[in-house]
């Protein structure tokens, strides 16, 4: 079993990375492989709803960052964890630009696989950012993995999040809960629930 973790902070080894690493270490102790991809500091192209991904099987903007995520998902992941710092009460905009493209172009490869979001903030906005990230999972039939508290931790300067004892415990609980769910939800073997053909409605007459 393998879980992909996306570090949505431009600081590759900052507080968000530390929180995700705590989740990853716990998954590893539970026998689950992990891979962390960081978005870095480069500008990220957003989705333009061109629809070409439906024909190509991947986003038409094939930049290195997107390709890393696409390749990891294509090679096979059983779960996904997305982490972000809180900027102005929400997730990092560059991360959302990437996730819009990821879920629009490869959501079919992520369906029914457990997902979880992790947010790190200095003081406020964590729950709003947490809700925003969870929307990616709930539009793709992905079970959302919970913890003993909302998946958030607090820290300002680099490394400070490690001092948030409850936050770090929440990350470890999240890792154990995801491992537990993965071991009981074998998507590859058990298949998917039967789905109705999608009905699309637009509220313009």
């Amino acid at each position: 079993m393998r879980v992909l973790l996306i570090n949505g902070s431009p600081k590759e080894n900052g507080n968000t990375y530390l929180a995700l690493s705590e989740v990853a270490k716990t998954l590893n102790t539970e026998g689950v492989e992990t891979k962390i991809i960081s978005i870095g500091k480069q500008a990220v192209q957003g989705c333009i709803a061109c629809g070409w991904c439906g024909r190509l099987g991947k986003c038409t903007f094939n930049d290195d960052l997107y390709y890393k995520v696409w390749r990891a998902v294509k090679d096979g992941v059983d779960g996904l964890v997305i982490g972000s710092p809180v900027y102005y009460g929400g997730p990092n905009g560059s991360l959302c630009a990437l996730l819009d493209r990821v879920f629009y172009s490869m959501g079919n490869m992520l369906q029914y696989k457990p997902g979880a979001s992790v947010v790190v903030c200095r003081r406020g906005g964590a729950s709003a950012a947490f809700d925003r990230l969870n929307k990616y999972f709930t539009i793709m039939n992905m079970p959302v993995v919970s913890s003993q508290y909302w998946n958030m931790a607090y820290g300002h300067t680099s490394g400070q999040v490690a001092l948030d004892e409850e936050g770090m415990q929440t990350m470890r609980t999240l890792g154990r809960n995801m491992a537990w769910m993965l071991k009981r939800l074998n998507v590859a073997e058990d298949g998917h629930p039967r789905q109705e053909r999608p009905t699309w409605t637009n509220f313009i007459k």
Side-chain angles (χ1 to χ4, degrees):
M1 288 178 286
R2 184 182 305 145
V3 170
L4 173 64
L5 300 95
I6 299 177
N7 175 16
S9 171
K11 298 176 182 177
E12 191 169 349
N13 297 303
N15 286 320
T16 302
Y17 174 79
L18 291 177
L20 289 174
S21 294
E22 197 74 8
V23 179
K25 282 188 291 185
T26 305
L27 285 166
N28 294 156
T29 62
E30 296 287 335
V32 179
E33 295 180 32
T34 57
K35 179 183 180 68
I36 298 178
I37 295 177
S38 295
I39 66 169
K41 295 181 173 66
Q42 298 299 314
V44 180
Q45 171 67 50
C47 178
I48 61 170
C50 65
W52 273 96
C53 57
R55 306 176 210 182
L56 300 174
K58 57 183 177 180
C59 181
T60 188
F61 297 114
N62 197 25
D63 52 89
D64 289 343
L65 175 59
Y66 172 87
Y67 183 75
K68 284 181 184 178
V69 176
W70 181 84
R71 185 76 266 169
V73 174
K74 192 79 172 174
D75 288 345
V77 296
D78 302 291
L80 179 66
V81 180
I82 300 168
S84 178
V86 175
Y87 293 163
Y88 288 92
N92 181 3
S94 294
L95 172 64
C96 291
L98 172 67
L99 294 177
D100 286 353
R101 292 165 59 204
V102 165
F103 279 83
Y104 198 77
S105 64
M106 61 179 92
N108 61 318
M109 292 189 279
L110 294 170
Q111 285 194 97
Y112 305 105
K113 297 178 179 181
S117 57
V118 166
V119 294
V120 175
C121 71
R122 181 191 70 83
R123 186 170 178 84
S127 58
F130 182 62
D131 290 343
R132 172 73 173 84
L133 291 176
N134 283 337
K135 287 181 170 64
Y136 287 104
F137 309 131
T138 56
I139 200 174
M140 283 297 166
N141 295 303
M142 296 174 69
V144 178
V145 185
S146 59
S147 186
Q148 66 190 49
Y149 193 74
W150 297 298
N151 307 335
M152 56 186 69
Y154 290 84
H156 184 211
T157 58
S158 184
Q160 206 171 46
V161 74
L163 302 176
D164 179 4
E165 294 182 13
E166 183 178 356
M168 291 297 96
Q169 187 178 66
T170 299
M171 298 302 120
R172 292 191 295 273
T173 302
L174 174 61
R176 284 190 291 270
N177 287 353
M178 175 162 273
W180 177 85
M181 186 178 289
L182 286 171
K183 292 171 184 177
R184 285 156 181 78
L185 183 67
N186 192 327
V187 175
E189 292 185 9
D190 297 340
H192 302 159
R194 186 180 63 83
Q195 295 294 330
E196 297 181 18
R197 184 172 179 174
T199 299
W200 299 93
T201 56
N202 299 309
F203 296 97
I204 298 176
K205 294 182 179 179

